[in-house]
Amino acid sequence: MRIFLDTANIDEIKEAASWGILDGVTTNPTLVSREGKVDFKTRVKEICEIVEGPVSAEVVSTDYDGMVSEALTLSKIAENVTVKIPMTKDGIKAVSTLSKQGVKTNVTLVFSANQAILAAKAGATFVSPFIGRLDDIGNDGLNVLADILEIYKIYGFKTEVIAASIRHPEHVRQVALLGTHVATIPFKVLKLLFEHPLTDKGQIRFLKDWEEYQKRLS
Ligand code: E4P
């Protein structure tokens, strides 16, 4: 399973990249807006210079022509830009056009298996089902993810599935078990993946015992 970081924050991206486990980044307009007065394209370029893998940058146009034009501009920022396009009729039409031109796309705001089928048919590089937001309204996000993975397997769709809207470490374990291709994880959840109380306890004990051993030697 590849790990993407779901953020537009440079410090978070630099830190996660330094751990050597980061395969890509996803951003969205909300995440970019949290960064204050940054220029969007400059920020995308900065991220692409830190991360070798796919970096998702989202269009904000809502019509086909606008989305295609924005996507072409964004895709020229760096080779690893993936253009995020919303799951609408115009969006799918744009993905269809862009995929034929070799532009990498990530269909976002996907909440059902049927939407994911349309994204794959249009030739999307990635599809992003939002697990947490489905759970929030009392649906089962993991079930939707499992359906998408199964359907893609049955028909041999090449589109890769990014489990998105991940809220906690348990989501990460569950989407990994389902065999998702990618999980895009917020920084605070990624940091929690390192944690286990027995690791901390064990480390304290090892260091204490080592110190006593050194004292005995001197
Ligand atoms: C996906 O690419 C989105 O950026 C993200 O996962 C949305 O998550 P949220 O529901 O926590 O906003």
Side-chain angles (χ1 to χ4, degrees):
M1 182 177 79
R2 267 162 293 152
I3 291 180
F4 289 3
L5 196 62
D6 200 21
T7 187
N9 184 278
I10 290 293
D11 293 337
E12 292 180 353
I13 294 166
K14 278 188 181 159
E15 190 171 350
S18 78
W19 299 331
I21 46 89
L22 189 62
D23 300 303
V25 168
T26 53
T27 67
N28 64 39
T30 304
L31 293 171
V32 173
S33 78
R34 281 187 200 148
E35 295 301 304
K37 287 190 176 178
V38 298
D39 175 68
F40 175 48
K41 290 187 197 109
T42 309
R43 178 52 56 97
V44 172
K45 193 168 186 296
E46 278 179 287
I47 299 173
C48 289
E49 278 161 10
I50 303 166
V51 181
E52 272 180 35
V55 173
S56 285
E58 191 158 341
V59 299
V60 286
S61 298
T62 53
D63 64 298
Y64 166 79
D65 288 328
M67 283 186 198
V68 171
S69 148
E70 252 191 85
L72 293 174
T73 307
L74 289 172
S75 69
K76 284 185 191 101
I77 295 175
E79 228 177 65
N80 51 335
V81 166
T82 299
V83 183
K84 230 175 173 184
I85 306 225
M87 177 62 226
T88 60
K89 290 191 188 76
D90 281 57
I92 288 299
K93 191 172 158 187
V95 169
S96 187
T97 299
L98 292 163
S99 65
K100 288 183 189 87
Q101 295 179 24
V103 176
K104 289 180 250 73
T105 54
N106 172 2
V107 177
T108 189
L109 293 171
V110 165
F111 296 95
S112 75
N114 287 337
Q115 290 179 325
I117 292 171
L118 298 176
K121 295 281 294 175
T125 316
F126 297 105
V127 65
S128 293
F130 279 35
I131 309 307
R133 291 195 199 183
L134 278 164
D135 291 354
D136 290 346
I137 59 157
N139 286 3
D140 187 341
L142 290 169
N143 253 344
V144 173
L145 177 71
D147 282 355
I148 296 170
L149 288 165
E150 180 64 17
I151 292 166
Y152 279 16
K153 198 168 148 199
I154 292 170
Y155 293 100
F157 285 131
K158 299 272 185 297
T159 304
E160 292 196 295
V161 181
I162 304 180
S165 188
I166 298 254
R167 295 282 158 76
H168 43 70
E170 184 56 9
H171 266 157
V172 178
R173 187 187 71 84
Q174 288 165 321
V175 304
L177 270 177
L178 288 175
T180 194
H181 305 103
V182 183
T184 189
I185 308 175
F187 188 63
K188 70 168 196 286
V189 177
L190 186 61
K191 278 195 295 182
L192 286 173
L193 302 188
F194 286 90
E195 305 298 330
H196 197 286
L198 291 179
T199 304
D200 298 340
K201 209 176 153 196
Q203 178 70 342
I204 289 168
R205 179 65 193 260
F206 281 156
L207 294 178
K208 194 169 167 283
D209 288 347
W210 186 257
E211 206 182 296
E212 276 164 20
Y213 163 66
Q214 292 299 305
K215 270 187 209 150
R216 278 202 304 276
L217 292 183
S218 60

